[in-house]
Amino acid sequence: MLIIKTIKHLRQTLSESRRKGQKIGFVPTMGYFHEGHLSLMRRAKKECDICVVSIYVNPKQFAPQEDLNRYPRDIKRDVKIAKKENVDILFIPSDNVIYPNCYLTYIDVEKISNTLCGKSRPGHFKGVATVVAKLLNIIQPDVMYLGQKDAQQVAVLSRMAADLNFPVCIRALPTVREKDGLAMSSRNVLLTSHERSQAPVLHKALTDAVMRIQAGERLSCRITGSVHRMITQRSDGKVQYVACVDADTLEPLKILKGKVLIALGVFFGKTRLIDNVIVPLKNSRKV
Ligand code: AMP
């Protein structure tokens, strides 16, 4: 496995792969790997000739009061894991490689960046879109692998790639969960043991919502209400949002129809967790 820290070195290496006609798969991450990350790496290895994984905790996607400094990091451990997964290239740029002093350019994917998580994290998706646009330009992968756990990120980056004609195919893979249903996240280690024991309620509430929809419920407010209630009644979680939206456009739905995304953001103590589920519906009639 090559560990690369500069753009020049990465470009040289990948231009050789491209000359040989190799298919390049790319997995952008902020490191502190867990099985969710590994599922993306494994799929990239399976479908592509070269698997490039980046580790970069992007300061531009954290607001000043957010957890940039608390964000878990362990590069040594990540290197070992990536080697074991047969990753071909691990790209670990520093801040001044990505944002040199003269840096001025940002990508703003309007509207869909400002709903759900974006409402309480203004500027977050501008940071995400900007860094991923840069990484796509640097790496020029054939396929980029993302996790459905970050559903809004998938929607924003898919819109950006389509709008700006990035020649990349985006694959969103299912959320990998702990045995008790909690979506894997690097932030889970920040939970106290009490918070950790309560956090699976998020998945339970979403699963319960899916059952209600399967039983015929189509009113969005009833679904969001029941999810909200279950979380607050069964845990100390502070709900930031629960919403039913169209999975592609993130437009709010009053009546559930089409590809429904039920998404939530909840604080357990200082740690903010997100989770979601997609429910494909054929039509708006009761089943
Ligand atoms: P992060 O390091 O948290 O920025 O995540 C890097 C990539 O891994 C993103 O595309 C995430 O959506 C994806 N990811 C994070 N957690 C999971 C999970 N539990 N299951 C699947 N993919 C995930």
Side-chain angles (χ1 to χ4, degrees), residues 27 33-41 147 173-177 184:
V27 181
F33 293 150
H34 51 69
E35 286 291 325
H37 295 117
L38 303 195
S39 72
L40 306 182
M41 295 176 200
L173 301 189
T175 301
V176 178
R177 298 180 179 279
M184 289 200 181

Side-chain angles (χ1 to χ4, degrees), residues 154-272:
V154 171
V156 167
L157 295 178
S158 301
R159 191 70 263 150
M160 177 191 80
D163 288 353
L164 297 181
N165 310 99
F166 280 96
V168 66
C169 165
I170 294 180
R171 285 232 214 301
L173 301 189
T175 301
V176 178
R177 298 180 179 279
E178 301 286 356
K179 281 205 183 79
D180 59 12
L182 177 64
M184 289 200 181
S185 163
S186 306
R187 284 190 171 96
N188 290 351
V189 295
L190 300 174
L191 298 168
T192 63
S193 58
H194 180 64
E195 290 159 1
R196 174 64 189 81
S197 70
Q198 293 193 336
V201 74
L202 304 185
H203 182 240
K204 281 200 192 76
L206 289 170
T207 310
D208 178 74
V210 173
M211 276 165 22
R212 283 169 194 266
I213 295 172
Q214 280 166 349
E217 185 57 75
R218 290 294 181 272
L219 271 182
S220 171
C221 59
R222 293 233 182 98
I223 294 297
T224 53
S226 77
V227 170
H228 201 291
R229 251 191 327 277
M230 190 181 270
I231 294 169
T232 49
Q233 281 172 1
R234 297 192 185 185
S235 78
D236 304 316
K238 300 265 176 303
V239 177
Q240 201 170 43
Y241 72 87
V242 182
C244 294
V245 299
D246 178 274
D248 298 318
T249 63
L250 305 188
E251 291 282 350
L253 297 169
K254 278 200 177 123
I255 305 291
L256 305 185
K257 62 173 187 302
K259 199 170 141 199
V260 177
L261 170 71
I262 313 172
L264 52 79
V266 176
F267 270 101
F268 284 88
K270 283 189 202 148
T271 306
R272 187 174 170 281

Side-chain angles (χ1 to χ4, degrees), residues 60 95-106 134:
K60 305 254 186 223
D95 283 339
N96 47 14
V97 162
I98 296 293
Y99 301 113
N101 280 338
C102 53
Y103 197 82
L104 291 174
T105 307
Y106 295 88
K134 283 173 68 70

